[in-house]
Amino acid sequence: MNGSDLTFSGGPPIRVYTTALGYKVLVAAVTIVGLAFFLMILGTSFSRSAPHGRDLTVAYALLVAGSAMIACLAYVLASTFRTRLEIYSDRIRYIRLLGTKELRINAIRGFRMDTTRNREALTLVPKDPAVRSIRIALTIGDKKDFVEWAGRRLTNLDETEFQEEMKTALDDAALGSSEEERALALRRAKRWATCLSVVGTGIALWAYIKPTPYEYAIGALIVLPPAALVSLRFFRGALRFHWKARSPYSGIAPALCTSCGALALRAFQDWNILEWDNFGYPFIAVFLGMCFLAIMHAGDTWRKIPTAFLLFGVCAAYGYGTTISVNGLLDASAPVPYQARVLSARGCTGKSSSYHLKLSPWGPRKQAKEIEVSRTVYRRYKTGDSVQVKVRSGRLGIPWFEVH
């Protein structure tokens, strides 16, 4: 940024935006409720401990933790009331609690919209890469007016990139011999990506909520990811691995992430592995197989580091989930029974429930250890009961056990 970019003209701002009244009221209410709750809990803790000569460690710990929480709430509250966006004829000024940022309008390359489930923001991108962007949270009042002003005065980089990508796609001879055929290929790819995403989400929910019959649910999770990768070949570049909200190209990443994540989660929750010595070779084989499919059908994905890391993680999750699941589902070995005693039991409920039993040493296990069990098994036993543990060798040579 040169010297002229740092010299601003005088005069009042032509537009001023502050935090929306509703958002201020919400933050103030949360702060008041948080403070009242903290004082109530703290007062109860001291009143129950001090008069009876009890240890005040818990009360002081609550004091420290609560003070940190109140400090955070106070910061958010002060920042909410301090935030101010000023638009001048030649610059934009964004005032926050801990500082102020300014950019000349003619030094701004454009803006991007960042929309998540809980928050919206508009990011001003400067022409000079050495200058930091300004991210403006759209909790301001009359945000529609500001977004419309930005659309008139600044370049929408998301829209510009979309139009450039669309022009490139419609000029790509690999997608078809005419512009109509290429547009049709893009629409077909979008429908297929949507179908994969819906099916992948449906199978993941089936496997996570109620995997019955279990073999079919896990089998579907194992089949979907490689099938999705192979399908890239049939769309000649119109379908890709990576996914963007605003792009003419469609992506299979959502379907792969949900299905591979659900497969790995089910394997982690459902199978108690006794020894991991033989896990490495089958895992590497499955992992490299998925990587090979990705290289064959989505080779350009590896050129972008963030996307490559995502694909690497997907392949690793698939390798883990498939190895553990196949090892258990196809195991035909005879079980070896052992006896153990329940030392303690605990259940965790919430968005997802889990149940745990701590067992005394048994067979190969020389130390007491807590394991996760099904709700049926958890309800059947209480502390002190004797349980039977059955050990199997595993189809892939990875020993695992189950509690009966």
Side-chain angles (χ1 to χ4, degrees):
M1 185 177 290
N2 56 40
S4 62
D5 291 332
L6 300 176
T7 304
F8 302 118
S9 60
I14 58 177
R15 279 182 171 85
V16 176
Y17 304 93
T18 57
T19 304
L21 177 61
Y23 192 78
K24 289 180 179 178
V25 171
L26 175 63
V27 173
V30 170
T31 302
I32 293 173
V33 171
L35 179 60
F37 179 76
F38 163 65
L39 293 177
M40 180 185 68
I41 296 297
L42 188 63
T44 302
S45 179
F46 273 103
S47 63
R48 289 182 177 179
S49 300
H52 304 285
R54 295 175 183 172
D55 187 7
L56 294 175
T57 303
V58 174
Y60 284 122
L62 284 173
L63 176 62
V64 173
S67 300
M69 181 192 72
I70 295 302
C72 291
L73 289 175
Y75 169 79
V76 173
L77 180 65
S79 178
T80 298
F81 281 83
R82 169 67 173 167
T83 297
R84 179 182 175 91
L85 177 64
E86 299 176 347
I87 310 295
Y88 295 83
S89 59
D90 61 338
R91 70 189 189 276
I92 295 177
R93 190 181 191 196
Y94 192 43
I95 303 171
R96 301 298 303 274
L97 181 63
L98 298 182
T100 299
K101 296 181 179 179
E102 289 185 343
L103 273 178
R104 288 185 63 90
I105 293 178
N106 59 11
I108 299 174
R109 185 164 68 93
F111 70 92
R112 298 183 185 278
M113 295 294 297
D114 180 17
T115 303
T116 62
R117 180 180 299 179
N118 301 318
R119 197 169 187 181
E120 289 182 303
L122 184 148
T123 301
L124 300 175
V125 182
K127 295 178 180 178
D128 187 353
V131 178
R132 296 185 64 180
S133 301
I134 298 180
R135 190 173 187 273
I136 301 170
L138 294 182
T139 52
I140 56 177
D142 203 3
K143 67 178 181 181
K144 182 179 178 181
D145 178 74
F146 170 63
V147 172
E148 290 177 350
W149 176 88
R152 291 193 303 269
R153 293 294 307 273
L154 305 173
T155 301
N156 187 332
L157 298 178
D158 295 325
E159 182 64 27
T160 300
E161 289 181 0
F162 173 79
Q163 294 299 333
E164 291 175 352
E165 279 191 326
M166 178 62 78
K167 184 178 183 304
T168 301
L170 295 178
D171 291 339
D172 188 355
L175 300 182
S177 57
S178 65
E179 187 172 301
E180 291 75 14
E181 288 185 4
R182 296 160 193 163
L184 178 61
L186 292 173
R187 290 195 296 271
R188 286 175 176 171
K190 184 175 182 179
R191 286 196 294 267
W192 177 248
T194 302
C195 178
L196 281 178
S197 182
V198 171
V199 171
T201 302
I203 295 175
L205 291 175
W206 172 27
Y208 183 73
I209 297 174
K210 192 175 183 180
T212 305
Y214 187 84
E215 295 81 1
Y216 290 97
I218 301 303
L221 288 176
I222 292 175
V223 169
L224 180 63
L229 283 174
V230 171
S231 71
L232 295 175
R233 175 72 63 180
F234 299 98
F235 289 91
R236 300 172 295 179
L239 184 67
R240 302 182 174 183
F241 170 77
H242 60 274
W243 175 87
K244 289 198 306 182
R246 184 71 172 151
S247 174
Y249 300 103
S250 303
I252 64 172
L256 285 181
C257 290
T258 54
S259 57
C260 291
L263 178 62
L265 183 61
R266 281 260 62 115
F268 177 77
Q269 290 182 336
D270 298 340
W271 303 98
N272 293 306
I273 304 301
L274 184 61
E275 296 177 0
W276 293 90
D277 295 348
N278 297 326
F279 172 76
Y281 288 119
F283 166 75
I284 291 174
V286 178
F287 171 72
L288 292 180
M290 280 291 286
C291 290
F292 176 75
L293 284 178
I295 292 172
M296 289 292 294
H297 304 292
D300 59 333
T301 299
W302 299 98
R303 299 174 186 175
K304 298 181 179 180
I305 294 179
T307 311
F309 271 111
L310 176 61
L311 187 53
F312 182 88
V314 166
C315 292
Y318 180 82
Y320 168 79
T322 299
T323 301
I324 297 301
S325 298
V326 169
N327 178 75
L329 287 174
L330 301 184
D331 187 6
S333 63
V336 178
Y338 296 95
Q339 292 296 319
R341 189 169 298 279
V342 178
L343 301 180
S344 63
R346 67 180 180 90
C348 302
T349 58
K351 290 185 177 180
S352 61
S353 301
S354 61
Y355 305 93
H356 306 265
L357 297 179
K358 186 174 183 180
L359 303 182
S360 64
W362 54 267
R365 282 272 171 93
K366 303 305 180 184
Q367 294 180 343
K369 190 172 183 180
E370 187 177 77
I371 64 169
E372 186 170 350
V373 296
S374 66
R375 181 172 61 177
T376 303
V377 173
Y378 173 77
R379 290 180 172 178
R380 186 181 302 161
Y381 298 105
K382 60 181 181 295
T383 302
D385 287 349
S386 178
V387 299
Q388 186 180 71
V389 181
K390 291 184 178 181
V391 177
R392 295 175 181 268
S393 59
R395 183 69 178 186
L396 301 177
I398 307 170
W400 59 280
F401 64 91
E402 55 186 343
V403 176
H404 291 274

